[in-house]
Amino acid sequence: MADSDPPADGPPAEAFAGLFRVTETDVDGGQLRYYGEPLVDSRRLERRLWPLFRDQGYEVRLTSESNSEEDPFTGIEIDRTRHVLVATPHSTGIDGIPWTNVAFALLTVLSTLVAGARWYGTIDTVGDALVDPMAVLAGWPFALAVLSILGVHELGHYALSRYHGVDASLPYFIPLPNVIGTMGAVISMRGRMPSRKTLFDIGVAGPLAGLVVACVVTLVGLGLPPVPTPAIPIEFNYPLLVQWLADLTGQPIDYPAGMTVNPVVFAGWVGMFVTFLNLIPVGQLDGGHLVRAMVGERQATVGALVPAALFALAAYLYYVQHAAFNAVFLWVFWGVFTMAFAYAGPATPIYDDALDTKRVLLGLVTFGLGILCFTPVPFELAL
C-alpha cells in the first residue's frame, strides 16, 4: 500500500482532516498505526476520533515513539520523536479457555482450604496438610465464604465492564499460604474508559457486590457455633459493621477464653477489610476510580493527600495510642503503596463530562460503607 493509504479496515486519512495530518500508515500485529502530526491537542483529538474508530471495531490512542534518521548532509543519526495513532481491535469476549485463571483459581481453592482447616483446628500448620490431606477438607466453609466474597467483588467489575463494552479479563485469584489463604483477586482492564459514567459504574460495582456478600457471610457465620481458639498467633478487631450485624442478630462476637467465633465470621471480616482497602481513594484502586469519576481531575489532589493521611494514622497509633508494631507497619506499608498508586494515577476517560447527581450520591454512600469496614488496628499479632 502507499504510505498514506489507510490500513486494512481502517478509516481513511481524509477522515482526520483538521485533526491529524497523516504521513504514513502501517499494520503491526493487528494494530493499525497512523503516523503524522496532531493539529489539535491530544485530548480533543482522541475525543473526536474515538467514535470513528469504535464504529469500525477499534480503540484508538495517541502515542509517540522515537525514530532514528540519518541526516542527508552530515550522515549523523538523529533521534526524532513522531506521533502515532494506534488503533487496537476492540473485543470484550473470552478467547478460548482461560487456563491461567482456572489454574490460579484452583490453587486458591487449595490455599484457602488449608487456611480454613487451620482456623477450624483440624491442622496446626501448613505442613500438616501434607501429612493428612483429608483434614484440609474441614476448611470448606471458610474457603467457600472467602472465595464467594472475592469472586463476586471481581465479577461485579467484570459484569459492568461487559455491559459498557470495556475489555476486561476474568478474575485472577491469587493464592498465598497465609492465615487467609489468598492475597485477593484482580481483573485486568484492557480497554479504555469511554466516560466518567463508565468509570464510576465499573468501579462501584465491585465494592458494593462484594460487601453485600460479606454481610451475608457474616450473618451466616454469626449463626454458626463457635470453635476452639486455633493455634494461630493473631487476634482480630471488628469494624463497626460487624458489631452492628452482631447486635442485629443478638449473637456474640466475644467468647470466653479458649473459644472464638466461627471462622465464617472471620471470612466476612476479610471481605470488609478488603472492601475498605479497595475504597482508598487513590490511583487504580476502586476508590481512586470513584473519586476520578466524581470530581474529575481534582482527584490528583485527593490522591496526593492519601499517603500523608496513612502516614499520619501510623504516627498517631505509634505515638499516641502506643499500638503494636504490626498495626503501625500496616499503615506505613499502605502509605508507601498508595504513593506508587498516586504516581501512576487513575484511569482517564475519553469523555470527561461531569457525573450525574445520583451517581455522586451513590459514591458518597459507598465511601460511607467503606468507613464502616474500617478499624485503626485491624489485627494484633500475639508474638
Side-chain angles (χ1 to χ4, degrees):
M1 72 177 74
D3 282 350
S4 59
D5 286 345
D9 301 323
E14 293 77 13
F16 311 155
L19 300 171
F20 190 84
R21 182 184 299 111
V22 178
T23 59
E24 182 184 347
T25 63
D26 191 12
V27 179
D28 182 13
Q31 290 183 334
L32 313 184
R33 304 173 70 85
Y34 296 78
Y35 300 89
E37 188 65 31
L39 304 178
V40 295
D41 67 86
S42 60
R43 181 165 295 182
R44 181 184 174 194
L45 177 64
E46 289 187 334
R47 284 200 303 264
R48 294 284 298 275
L49 295 184
W50 177 265
L52 177 65
F53 279 90
R54 194 65 178 266
D55 288 344
Q56 296 191 229
Y58 292 91
E59 290 187 358
V60 67
R61 183 188 300 271
L62 178 67
T63 64
S64 60
E65 63 179 38
S66 296
N67 181 40
S68 296
E69 297 180 359
E70 184 178 287
D71 187 285
F73 299 103
T74 65
I76 298 175
E77 288 287 331
I78 300 175
D79 286 333
R80 301 184 188 276
T81 299
R82 57 179 180 174
H83 298 279
V84 190
L85 285 173
V86 180
T88 305
H90 174 68
S91 173
T92 57
I94 301 172
D95 186 15
I97 299 175
W99 290 114
T100 302
N101 302 74
V102 172
F104 272 80
L106 292 175
L107 288 173
T108 307
V109 168
L110 179 60
S111 61
T112 51
L113 280 172
V114 172
R118 293 184 67 194
W119 285 107
Y120 280 105
T122 57
I123 63 174
D124 291 330
T125 66
V126 174
D128 291 342
L130 301 176
V131 178
D132 187 6
M134 295 304 296
V136 171
L137 296 179
W140 74 263
F142 174 82
L144 178 63
V146 169
L147 293 176
S148 296
I149 295 169
L150 298 178
V152 169
H153 179 120
E154 297 305 330
L155 286 174
H157 291 313
Y158 180 77
L160 267 293
S161 298
R162 293 296 300 270
Y163 175 79
H164 284 288
V166 175
D167 190 14
S169 72
L170 287 171
Y172 291 92
F173 289 91
I174 307 172
L176 189 71
N178 58 7
V179 295
I180 302 172
T182 177
M183 280 190 65
V186 297
I187 66 172
S188 173
M189 303 298 298
R190 297 185 290 247
R192 300 195 66 186
M193 294 294 172
S195 64
R196 284 201 207 177
K197 173 185 172 182
T198 301
L199 181 61
F200 179 87
D201 289 355
I202 294 174
V204 80
L208 289 182
L211 186 56
V212 168
V213 179
C215 289
V216 172
V217 162
T218 302
L219 290 171
V220 171
L222 289 169
L224 295 175
V227 299
T229 303
I232 301 177
I234 188 169
E235 180 179 347
F236 293 92
N237 297 315
Y238 299 108
L240 280 174
L241 190 51
V242 172
Q243 297 177 39
W244 288 357
L245 291 175
D247 292 340
L248 179 67
T249 59
Q251 297 293 335
I253 51 177
D254 293 315
Y255 287 87
M259 300 296 291
T260 188
V261 293
N262 193 280
V264 173
V265 177
F266 170 48
W269 179 97
V270 171
M272 294 180 191
F273 187 53
V274 168
T275 297
F276 170 76
L277 293 178
N278 270 285
L279 286 174
I280 294 176
V282 63
Q284 297 287 327
L285 293 175
D286 295 339
H289 291 322
L290 296 188
V291 173
R292 178 61 179 82
M294 292 165 67
V295 304
E297 294 183 349
R298 287 174 291 175
Q299 191 275 343
T301 302
V302 177
L305 294 174
V306 167
L310 293 175
F311 289 138
L313 173 60
Y316 171 78
L317 292 174
Y318 182 76
Y319 290 106
V320 179
Q321 295 295 319
H322 305 293
F325 172 77
N326 64 274
V328 177
F329 176 79
L330 172 69
W331 299 120
V332 169
F333 171 82
W334 272 91
V336 174
F337 200 49
T338 54
M339 285 178 65
F341 274 115
Y343 178 79
T348 302
I350 298 295
Y351 300 104
D352 214 351
D353 300 327
L355 205 62
D356 59 273
T357 303
K358 290 183 179 179
R359 283 183 169 82
V360 171
L361 292 176
L362 178 59
L364 294 175
V365 170
T366 303
F367 280 118
L369 292 172
I371 292 173
L372 295 180
C373 297
F374 169 72
T375 179
V377 184
F379 54 86
E380 300 176 67
L381 300 177
L383 300 178

